[in-house]
Amino acid sequence: MQEMILILDFGSQYTQLIARRVRELNVYCEIHPWNKCPEMSDNIKGVILSGSPFSTRDEKAPRPDLSKIKGNKPLLGVCYGAQYLAQNYGGEVLPSNIREYGRANLAEVSKTNDLTKGMSNNSQVWMSHGDTINNLPDNFKVIASTDDVKYAGFHILNETTYGIQFHPEVYHSAEGQILLKNFIVDICGTEQSWTPASFVDESVANLKSKLGNDKVILGLSGGVDSSVAAVLLHKAIGTNLHCIFVNNGLLRKNEYDQVLESYQGMGLNVKGVDASQQFYDALEGITDPELKRKAIGRVFIGVFDDESKKIENAKWLGQGTIYPDVIESVSGTGGPSQTIKSHHNVGGLPDYMKLEVVEPLRLLFKDEVRRIGKSLEIDQKILGRHPFPGPGLGIRILGDVTREKVRILQEVDAIFINGLKEHGLYDDVWQAGAIFLPIQSVGVMGDERTYENAVALRAVSSTDGMTADWCHLPYEFLAKMSNSIINQVKGINRVTYDISSKPPATIEWE
């Protein structure tokens, strides 16, 4: 069995980032709810306890049974996980006099401890806690401190058990990956053998075993995720994969015809279905973002139900679901993480649709999906495409969705995206698009007063979609885009640029 790191999730939004950092070390990991811990086996090389929105002092706080882990497997508690270890084994956790949220610096760090070797004094770390460890049990040794937190890191003597108050998985922890490598590679003794090629081989083998001779229907979107999922499934089951590319009327300008042609050129068994009017009808008069997403998802499922009936003995619906989709919809592990927004391809199918779901990318982040796609030799034009939301322009039109608003936004989006490509900026941006704002503003064109619509341009940099920063595009470029949009797109007289990061904002506006 493949070696792995087990991550027990207590509901932290950062849990998925821990997994991503582990995989950057070419080590496979799985996330499981704290109350559904799998049996310890030889292939589990170590265990990480995540953070949590709970306080260890809460009556309903997670309290895992670590009797088969602590002292038997290398164990690292992060934030809540560290506080739980301290409190549960004889220490004391109290409300902090100084709530630490954000950047902090390690005032002292042990240079000789296996966990913290190679780290620097004054190394920046990321804190996110309202409680603090007030006392440690006698057999706990302090290995890191900040000016405000005495017990920022500890080691239980005579065990490979550790706890840290900060979050090494967050980019703002400058030497977090050093600590994680110390734990995962040196302390846990992993071989770092999990690579894109090994993932492809294992996934194809698993898909062959799971699907057998069954037929699968896959919804293609034109994006990286569904494209990679399609090639993986095609590699496993060949012509038993039936791809459906739905035109929901909310795609980018000319995208339906262009993408359909490229898929056919890849040798995929693909059929195009124009269901634009069904989506427009379902969205008529709806302004609430969640209701729009649900309406789009409902029609999407309905179209696939109709198409599945045309394919004799189809048993599976393939989807390109990835980790960020899952964590933003519900906790990826059934834990207490807060829902940020729902995704149309997360959460299963209605009872009337007699298809099971297969999601070969469900445990991967976007950058991992691209690496898998590269190993599958998928065209870079597809792999390099910016992420595009499943509900399409439907959630980039604030307020009700109409065919005319879609047309206007398609024109604006095309000018912006083509401009990024023409100016050599496209590959420097992780995701970009335009948002149709639910306001009109006064303008002047020639000698005439106008009262027309406003749009916002959005461009962010990111690696996994969990966090993102707005791109500092050149002023000259933004000026040219604004001028081109206002002059070429009738109905727009004002262009703005969104300079919000995630968090606190999300990448999409809805």
Side-chain angles (χ1 to χ4, degrees), residues 156-185:
I156 300 182
L157 299 178
N158 301 315
E159 292 184 17
T160 50
T161 301
Y162 307 83
I164 49 175
Q165 185 61 78
F166 53 93
H167 288 269
E169 70 274 18
V170 176
Y171 277 115
H172 301 91
S173 290
E175 296 180 338
Q177 198 69 344
I178 294 176
L179 183 147
L180 288 173
K181 184 178 180 182
N182 288 341
F183 178 72
I184 292 161
V185 179

Side-chain angles (χ1 to χ4, degrees), residues 40 73 110-111 133 160 184 197 215 246 251-252 270 280 352 390 466 469:
M40 290 298 103
K73 297 280 186 181
S110 172
K111 309 293 188 185
I133 300 171
T160 50
I184 292 161
K215 293 180 181 178
V246 175
L251 302 174
R252 286 179 157 139
V270 59
Y280 288 141
Y352 70 80
M466 300 298 293
D469 198 7

Side-chain angles (χ1 to χ4, degrees), residues 389-420:
L393 300 181
I395 58 167
R396 291 184 177 176
I397 296 173
L398 275 59
D400 65 318
V401 177
T402 67
R403 188 181 288 272
E404 177 60 12
K405 288 180 181 178
V406 171
R407 184 198 65 78
I408 290 174
L409 191 58
Q410 284 177 331
E411 296 294 333
V412 172
D413 179 86
I415 291 172
F416 185 35
I417 297 300
N418 289 335
L420 288 169

Side-chain angles (χ1 to χ4, degrees), residues 45 59 94 101 190 212 216 221 284 294 308 391 424 438 449:
K45 298 299 184 180
E59 183 179 337
L94 296 174
Y101 290 96
T190 57
V216 177
S221 67
E284 186 175 1
K294 292 183 186 305
S308 69
R449 173 186 184 275

